[in-house]
Amino acid sequence: MSVIQGARERARTEVTAAIKEEARRQLASEGAARLSLRAVARELGMVSSALYRYFPSRDDLFTALIIDAYDAIGAAAEQALAASAGAAPADRWIAVCRAARDWAVDHPHEYALVYGSPVPGYGAPQDTVVPASRVGLALVAVVGDAQHDGVLGPPLGRPLAGPVRADAALLASELAPDLPVPTIAALVAAWAQVFGIVSFEVFGQFNRVVEARGPFFDQAAAALAAQVGLAPSGGPPADGQAGDGDRAGGEQRS
Amino acid sequence: MSVIQGARERARTEVTAAIKEEARRQLASEGAARLSLRAVARELGMVSSALYRYFPSRDDLFTALIIDAYDAIGAAAEQALAASAGAAPADRWIAVCRAARDWAVDHPHEYALVYGSPVPGYGAPQDTVVPASRVGLALVAVVGDAQHDGVLGPPLGRPLAGPVRADAALLASELAPDLPVPTIAALVAAWAQVFGIVSFEVFGQFNRVVEARGPFFDQAAAALAAQVGLAPSGGPPADGQAGDGDRAGGEQRS
DNA sequence: CCAACGAAGAGAGCAGTGCTCTTGCTTTTG
DNA sequence: CAAAAGCAAGAGCACTGCTCTCTTCGTTGG
C-alpha cells in the first residue's frame, strides 16, 4: 500500500479500476448474467485476452464487483449510522435501513448481485464475508447504542426455542456480548426481513401492489424497530414524510 | 382442453413436458444461468433446433419454468392452508409460511428463479402474475378466516402514513374488502418479510449465522403473525419443535 | 548503460452458446 | 389421394469464456 508507485504499478491499478467501472456499467445496463468479458474489453479498446492479466476469470471479476457492492451498501448504512448519532434509537434504525434501501433502489443490479440468486456454480469466497456483514453490524450498533443508553426494551415475540437461543447466544458472544440473547435473535430476523422488503421492491414483486414504496418501507422498518425492542420516538410521525424524494409510480423493472 | 387428442397433439404435449422436466433437472444441478438449450436437447436425444418448435426462445422456456415454480410453491402454501383449516389462526399462518419455506429449501434453484434476481433483460410476462400471487393469497385467506371467526386483532405498529393507507385501501378493495386497511398493509409487509427470511436462508446469507433454520423461521413467522393481528395460540410452544426434519448444519451453497 | 527479466497486450484458436434458415419427412386434413 | 401443416435435422452465424503463443516494453541488477 505504498503511496508512491512505479508507472507500471500505477497503470495496473488504473486499468483494474477501469475494468471494474466498465463492468459495473454493463451490469447496470445488461444484468449480471449478460456481463461479457469480451464486451468489457471491447469497450475499453483492448483485446479480450488482455483482461485475463487483471482478472483470472469471469468469476473473479464478479467477486471483485460483489465485494465492491457489499462495501458500497455497507458504507451507506454506516454513514447513516454515524449521521444519526444522538437521535432516538428507533429513528436511527429506520435511517440505517432506509440508507440500505435507497442504495439498493439506486443500484438494483449491484444489489441483485449480492442479495439476489447466487451466481451459477459460484461459491462466494471468504473475502466477501466481512464486507457482507457491514449492514448487519450497523443495525447491531444501533441496538447496542440504545442498550448502552438504557433505552432498549425487550424484543417482542414468544420465548426462544432452544436451538434458536443457542444460535443467538453464539452470535451474541461474537459480536455483541452486552445484548440480551433474545434481542440478538430478533435482530437477525429483522435484518433478514428488512432485506426481504428491499428485495421485493427491487426485484419487482411490489409492482401493482405497493406504489408508495418509500413510506411503506419506513412503516415496515418502524415496526421492525419495535420488534427488536427500540421504542418508537415520542412524536407521531404518522403522516407527511414530505420531501421524501420517492418516485412512487416509477416502474422498476428495466 | 379436450381429453381425447390426436397422436400428434399427444406427442407434442409429451415432448413439451419432457423438455420442461429435463430443463428443471438442469436448473437444479446447474442453476438458471447455466441452463443450456443445447444441453437439454442433447439429453433428450434431439437436435437443438428442434427445441424451438416447442419454445420459441430460451426466455420462453424460462417463463414456463417460472410459472411452474410459482404454481408449485403456491400449491404448497394452499395445501397447508387447507390442511390447517380449523386450527388457531396464528398456527395456520405459521403452517402456510412454513410450507412455502420448505418448498423453497427443497427447490432452491426454482425458488431463485422466481424470487431471486430477475433474469437479464427479461420482463416477466403477464401470465406470471396470477401464479405469483398464490402464496400471498393463502396468507390473506388465513387472516380473512380469522377475521370471519372474530379472532382477528388489530395489527401492531404505528398508524399508516397517507400514501401507504391509500395503497392498502386499494388492495383491500381488490382482494379482501372485509379486512381493515391497516391489516392489509401489515399483511403485505409480512408477506415480503417472510420471503426475506426464506431468501436469506436459500441464498446462503444465513451461513455461519443461523444454523437452526427451521425453528428460527418458525419463530420469525410467529412474530409476523402477531404483527398482522393474529393472537398467538394459547399453549406455550416455546421449546421442542421436535421431529422438525431440519438439516441444520447442511451447507447451502452448492 | 545495457542486458536480462517479467509483465502486458495482440492474435489465433478451441469448445461451447442461442438462434435462424433450408431441406426433407410424416402426419393430418380437405 | 393430394395438399397442407407439423416436425426433426443439419449447416451456419455471431457470440461467449478461456488458453496458448508471440511480440513489445517498462523495470531493474550488474
Side-chain angles (χ1 to χ4, degrees), chain A residues 216-233:
Chain A
F216 180 82
F217 179 86
D218 290 344
Q219 172 89 29
L224 285 171
Q227 195 79 29
V228 301
L230 302 178
S233 58

Side-chain angles (χ1 to χ4, degrees), chain B residues 44-67:
Chain B
L44 260 46
M46 53 202 310
V47 83
S48 74
S49 60
L51 242 156
Y52 286 82
R53 297 271 164 203
Y54 299 89
F55 297 94
S57 81
R58 189 170 177 264
D59 279 359
D60 289 86
L61 215 197
F62 269 127
T63 301
L65 294 178
I66 285 174
I67 291 177

Side-chain angles (χ1 to χ4, degrees), chain A residues 6-8 35-38 42 48-49 52-53 57-58:
Chain A
R8 178 160 240 158
L35 199 172
S36 148
L37 282 191
R38 291 182 116 109
R42 209 179 303 133
S48 74
S49 60
Y52 285 83
R53 300 272 169 203
S57 81
R58 188 170 177 266

